[in-house]
Every structure is written in structure tokens, then in C-alpha cells.
Amino acid sequence: MRQIILNLAISLDGLIEGPNGELDWLVRDPDVDFGDILNDILSDKDAIFYGRVSYDKWGNTRPDDTAGKKIRDAYKLMHSKTKYVFSTTKTGDGTGAIFINSNIRERVLEIKQQPGKNIWLYGGAKLVTTLLNLDLIDEYRLAVHPVILGNGKPLFQDIAGKHRLTLVETKGYKSGVVLQTYKTNRHHIPPA
């Protein structure tokens, strides 16, 4: 079965955006190019899940004409993936993205059963909350940036119940960013 993998950047205090949607807090690593990061994220995936707001902001973004070949190729790879957009207000946009407006659990389970590679849960926070509360996220790859924003959009909010995770890998970078990978632990037996 295909896995849904949440892969995104987060501040040390658990925020994914500044108070006005800013991403200027992301720490750049001198040894890691954004094109490499994007290629790494996409290497084991052939589909992307977007919430409508994230899709409208980033789903069809293209690098500008001054971008290097590596980043242009990474965006080309990203846009070659099947895009699913979860929205209660939008039913399509003519780009070939597949819009899901209802029966989220059933539709996601159907997609997970299809042959193919894993699915990148791009975000946003509302979609993450929905899929987490439905216990549909299989893996969390969080790039924790060494910055405390103090104010902004939290990744985890309105979570129903406890969700156990198992740490499977931690990788540090010179910049201070730490990539933490967790698998969902659905086999946890609560203490008696």
C-alpha cells in the first residue's frame, strides 16, 4: 500500500509560517541546494496532496527565469506528479489537478490502494489536521529549523486524541536544521 508522507519545514516552536504567511525564517544550508531538497522529497513519490490554500499559493509555482537548471528541473519533476487538492469550495481549475470535495477518508484510502509510489502530503495545516485525525498519515519527515518564531501558523492544532510515533531517523545539517523522521505507530498497546 502507498504511504502518505508529511514532509515539510517547521520552526522549533512548531510553526509552519510566520504571522503573515512568511517563509523568510527558513534557514538555508550552504551545503544543500533547494533543488536537491525538492528532488529528495520527490524521489519516492508520484502524487502530492494539497489543501486548497496551499495549492493556490504553491501548487503551480514555477521558478523565475534566473533560476538555475537544477531548481528548474526539480520544479518540472514536482509538476509531473499527480496533484490532489482537498477543498470544500473549489471543484477544479483546468490544470489537471484532481479535486476532492467530500468522502475524504474513502477517497484517500482508495488512492492509497492504487499502484504507485508514495504520496507527499504537502499541506497545509488544515489538511494535515484532517488526515491526522483520520489516522491516514504514515510517516512524518519534519525539517526542524533552529528558529523560534513566537507567532504564526502552527502545524498541529485541533488534534483529536493521542497519536504514537516511532523515531526512525535523525539527520543534522551544518545550518542547524535537523530532519526528524517518524513512522506512525498503529500497533501501540496502551498500558493497562
Side-chain angles (χ1 to χ4, degrees), residues 14 24 27 47 66 75 80 83 99-100 106 121 155 182:
D24 59 354
V27 176
T66 62
Y75 271 93
S80 74
K83 297 177 186 179
F99 282 74
I100 297 175
E106 294 78 11
L121 173 51
L155 173 58
Y182 297 90

Side-chain angles (χ1 to χ4, degrees), residues 44-110:
D44 63 344
K45 299 171 191 79
D46 61 5
I48 304 173
F49 281 0
Y50 292 95
R52 200 250 332 136
V53 173
S54 292
Y55 178 75
D56 286 348
K57 262 190 200 179
W58 306 107
N60 292 300
T61 299
R62 307 270 180 204
D64 63 34
D65 295 337
T66 62
K69 181 175 176 6
K70 189 187 294 185
I71 193 70
R72 286 194 321 270
D73 288 348
Y75 271 93
K76 184 177 178 181
L77 178 63
M78 183 170 82
H79 294 308
S80 74
K81 308 297 181 181
T82 303
K83 297 177 186 179
Y84 295 90
V85 182
F86 294 79
S87 175
T88 57
T89 59
K90 201 171 185 179
T91 58
D93 67 352
T95 65
I98 299 164
F99 282 74
I100 297 175
N101 307 106
S102 61
N103 301 318
I104 291 173
R105 181 176 180 73
E106 294 78 11
R107 293 290 308 277
V108 168
L109 288 172
E110 177 184 296

Side-chain angles (χ1 to χ4, degrees), residues 119-168:
I119 301 159
W120 179 16
L121 173 51
Y122 184 93
K126 287 181 184 176
L127 179 58
V128 171
T129 297
T130 298
L131 296 183
L132 178 57
N133 286 337
L134 292 172
D135 194 29
L136 294 171
I137 303 173
D138 300 292
E139 189 171 308
Y140 300 78
R141 297 178 189 170
L142 303 176
V144 181
H145 287 244
V147 65
I148 296 171
L149 294 176
N151 193 5
K153 181 184 284 187
L155 173 58
F156 299 114
Q157 55 188 348
D158 302 320
I159 305 302
K162 188 183 296 183
H163 299 266
R164 299 263 184 202
L165 307 175
T166 301
L167 179 66
V168 293

